Amino acid sequence: MVDHTHALSFGAAASDYDRFRPRYPEAAVRWAVDGLSNGQVVDLAAGTGILTRAVQALGHQVVPVEPDPAMRAQLAHSTPGTTALAGSAEAVPLPDAAADAVLAGTAYHWFDREPAHTEIARVLRPGGTFAPIWNIRDDSVDWVAELGRIAHLDDKSGNVIVKYADFGPAFGAIEGREFTHRTTLTPDEVGGMIRTRSYWLTASDTDRQRVERELTDLLATHPDLAGRETVELPYRTLVLRARRR
């Protein structure tokens, strides 16, 4: 079983989450939906709708599903005309064969995978696609690795699941692809992004003070960051996809 304490911590920072979290590159989203045109897509653990909006921009109808009421409220605010359903990957409030594709944006590692796979297979039509996606900071860049150390930004889950992924017997072979992109942030926005992470949201005051202190020092002293009005934060976007049998 997955401990959902961290997974359900984001609602406390829903507005900042929507503002500071990275978007998904269009090429990655297109590949995730596997050539689908004008499809019915479910966005599981949709959060504030970042992936929902990217899928909508490709012309698909999207049903977001999200367990946290604060995140659903922010999604409604940020995505006019779209209402997220209350539900989870393990209990999707949709009928059988309702979707052409099911996506999950930087969320699959929070799922209880066996019941989630059963539910995802149930709501997909035969031949439909399941595609989890992760935005992972590129810690081959020195200062990005240091940022991760300071703020306990564990982005290893996507890498691990790519290596060991198995969506269960209802799905065919898993394909994977990686895309790269960058986001431009001010130093203050780097701090804002850190304060939307599960470690920060569940940390003690002492740990938060340490993060703030070390982050301030990194931004002020690292040669790639000191004196900069904006910084480029590089990401790797990992996508897995498989068809329902």
Side-chain angles (χ1 to χ4, degrees), residues 182-214:
R182 293 173 176 268
T183 62
T184 302
L185 300 170
T186 67
D188 284 347
E189 288 170 342
V190 173
M193 182 271 291
I194 294 301
R195 289 186 284 274
T196 70
R197 303 291 303 201
S198 61
Y199 175 80
W200 171 274
L201 293 169
T202 59
S204 67
D205 288 343
T206 299
D207 286 338
R208 288 185 175 188
Q209 289 167 9
R210 178 199 58 79
V211 170
E212 292 279 15
R213 183 174 60 254
E214 294 186 13

Side-chain angles (χ1 to χ4, degrees), residues 83-165:
T83 301
L85 301 180
S88 68
E90 300 81 13
V92 183
L94 290 169
D96 296 356
D100 298 305
V102 174
L103 273 58
T106 315
Y108 176 70
H109 52 285
W110 297 118
F111 296 174
D112 287 328
R113 276 186 254 169
E114 187 172 337
H117 293 158
T118 299
E119 276 291 85
I120 292 163
R122 181 185 65 78
V123 301
L124 274 172
R125 63 169 177 79
T129 300
F130 172 47
I133 307 174
W134 291 265
N135 270 325
I136 298 178
R137 287 173 316 285
D138 184 358
D139 61 8
S140 67
V141 177
D142 176 68
W143 75 264
V144 178
E146 181 64 7
L147 180 69
R149 183 200 64 77
I150 290 169
H152 290 242
L153 302 180
D154 183 8
D155 274 352
K156 304 303 183 186
S157 51
N159 290 316
V160 170
I161 290 173
V162 166
K163 185 175 181 180
Y164 298 106

